[in-house]
Amino acid sequence: MIFDENAKMIREVARKFAQAELAPGAAERDSTMRFPLKELKQLGELGLLGIVVPEKLGGVGATYTALTAAVEEVSRADASIGVVMSTHHSLACMPIVNHGTPEQQARYLPKLLSGEIIGAIAITETQAGSNAADIRTRAERKGDNYVLTGRKQLITGGAFAGLAVLLATTNPDAGPRGITCFLVPTDAPGFSVGKVEEKLGINSSGTAELVLDGVELGADHVLGKPGEGYKIILAALARSRLGIAAQAVGIAQAALDHATAYAKERTSFGKPIIEHQAVGFRLASMATEIEAARQLTFHAAALLDAGKPFQKESSMAKLFAGEMAERVCSQGIQVLGGYGYLKDYPLERLYRDARICQIYEGTGDIQRMVIARMLAA
């Protein structure tokens, strides 16, 4: 992938900040589940929370290629922050950019872009995971307002988000066409954070249950038109899958970085272990898989930037990169041997972080289904 000058600059800003400010504290945030609100605010101050938001709305006005590069660099340092950065962009900011009224854009975008508040996407429910159309959260009309009742599960950033872009059904008999998208401030009466989940990895991303107990909102909190919520979010998910692919590439690159550095320093039988063919070949295979995933991801981003169909390539990138990251991190642990299994070294955290990339924002099986349908069309 050849970057334009703007994308190069954004990638370099993200890389320098991530390595200097995010990487040193990643293990501590992982072990304590500390929410990275300070770090996210710093990303906002650098303009890294509004990379693809148009300049006229206060953003940087750059490409999805630039955003993808930045998410990779941030995830290389801390995958928890990388996923929040990605969902904040693609699933909170951009739906408001693409479907929000001027009033909604003026109300929310300045705070989202600065990092004053973080946006979360609230789709998943107990029974509505891969089948996102099976939404049970209700939004009932009450005069000019809506009253929202229900629960959302496994919401990235839900523990600390200031705004939830949330799907609720306004017409249960209409199926997907009865689902409406709402902009829900998390300080609204009746809104609360339920259980904050303890997870295998990405432990500081604030994954939480959201509870809506009679949250009353005006019609000005509807994003787009009533009944268009499912369509709005499906389009946003196609873009956001690039962020998860980039996250997976960043995690895998960090694993390769650490494994290579260790292999150059660790000696066995009188020479650095990287000079042993078994280790050198393992690292070579890791590097090749990472580059294949990276190029697939940036190809999809380039198609999106060019205004061409990209959904199939986005699903391919997410599928391949997610599975690649687990393989590469496993091989990285193998390079370190017993040390790779210890929490004193970063490989075990990277391995745990990598596993989720095959699950959220569309499992590997869902991506295969999307790709197969497009092949059959």
Side-chain angles (χ1 to χ4, degrees):
M1 180 68 198
I2 299 175
F3 296 101
D4 62 28
E5 290 304 315
N6 199 26
K8 284 181 183 177
M9 180 188 70
I10 290 169
R11 179 177 63 169
E12 190 60 24
V13 168
R15 177 180 294 169
K16 287 182 177 178
F17 175 76
Q19 292 303 313
E21 302 295 333
L22 302 183
E28 178 270 331
R29 287 187 294 273
D30 173 72
S31 64
T32 63
M33 294 176 59
R34 178 174 69 80
F35 305 145
L37 289 171
K38 179 188 76 173
E39 292 80 4
L40 289 165
K41 186 72 165 59
Q42 290 174 306
L43 287 175
E45 292 167 355
L46 290 170
L48 296 175
L49 291 183
I51 292 172
V52 290
V53 175
E55 289 183 273
K56 67 180 181 180
L57 295 178
V60 175
T63 60
Y64 270 90
T65 297
L67 173 59
T68 300
V71 171
E72 178 188 335
E73 293 298 337
V74 170
S75 300
R76 186 176 175 183
D78 188 329
S80 291
I81 297 176
V83 69
V84 174
M85 175 187 178
S86 175
T87 57
H88 176 89
H89 267 95
S90 296
L91 295 172
C93 292
M94 292 311 293
I96 296 173
V97 168
N98 293 328
H99 303 281
T101 64
E103 292 75 19
Q104 289 171 335
Q105 292 168 350
R107 188 188 312 166
Y108 295 116
L109 284 178
K111 294 180 180 180
L112 290 167
L113 300 182
S114 68
E116 179 180 343
I117 64 172
I118 297 301
I121 180 70
I123 304 172
T124 304
E125 301 178 5
T126 302
Q127 78 296 328
S130 293
N131 182 13
D134 192 16
I135 296 294
R136 306 285 175 83
T137 296
R138 295 290 301 274
E140 297 181 338
R141 289 302 297 255
K142 179 183 178 183
D144 293 333
N145 296 340
Y146 288 88
V147 178
L148 279 68
T149 304
R151 291 175 179 264
K152 297 293 182 178
Q153 305 284 346
L154 304 172
I155 306 305
T156 297
F160 53 76
L163 179 71
V165 179
L166 183 143
L167 291 188
T169 180
T170 48
N171 183 357
D173 296 328
R177 291 185 177 86
I179 294 173
T180 299
C181 193
F182 290 87
L183 300 176
V184 184
T186 59
D187 60 358
F191 185 101
S192 62
V193 176
K195 181 183 179 184
V196 179
E197 304 291 351
E198 296 185 39
K199 311 185 297 286
L200 177 69
I202 57 165
N203 283 318
S204 65
S205 65
T207 304
E209 175 190 39
L210 305 181
V211 181
L212 298 101
D213 185 11
V215 176
E216 187 167 348
L217 301 172
D220 59 340
H221 288 77
V222 173
L223 183 64
K225 296 179 181 179
E228 290 186 343
Y230 189 62
K231 181 173 68 174
I232 289 170
I233 294 305
L234 279 186
L237 282 169
R239 295 188 294 268
S240 73
R241 284 169 184 152
L242 292 173
I244 303 306
Q247 179 194 26
V249 172
I251 293 169
Q253 184 63 55
L256 177 63
D257 293 342
H258 290 294
T260 302
Y262 180 86
K264 289 178 179 178
E265 295 176 2
R266 173 77 159 88
T267 60
S268 176
F269 300 101
K271 58 183 178 182
I273 63 172
I274 197 170
E275 296 181 16
H276 293 293
Q277 191 177 79
V279 176
F281 278 18
R282 178 173 285 117
L283 293 168
S285 294
M286 292 163 63
T288 301
E289 285 209 65
I290 293 168
E291 194 58 30
R294 179 180 288 121
Q295 294 303 321
L296 189 55
T297 301
F298 281 117
H299 173 60
L303 289 173
L304 173 57
D305 288 332
K308 296 181 178 180
F310 70 96
Q311 290 84 352
K312 173 165 62 71
E313 288 78 7
S314 176
S315 286
M316 287 177 171
K318 202 259 184 195
L319 170 63
F320 182 79
E323 294 181 352
M324 173 279 301
E326 184 180 6
R327 288 194 300 269
V328 164
C329 289
S330 179
Q331 291 301 306
I333 290 174
Q334 201 68 25
V335 171
L336 270 69
Y339 290 117
Y341 205 66
L342 302 181
K343 287 186 178 292
D344 292 341
Y345 291 79
L347 266 298
E348 67 86 29
R349 170 173 55 84
L350 294 168
Y351 184 76
R352 290 186 287 105
D353 286 348
R355 187 60 182 85
I356 189 61
C357 295
Q358 298 176 57
I359 299 174
Y360 53 20
E361 295 193 37
T363 65
D365 290 336
I366 290 295
Q367 303 314 313
R368 287 182 170 88
M369 183 179 73
V370 170
I371 295 164
R373 284 178 176 175
M374 291 185 176
L375 292 174

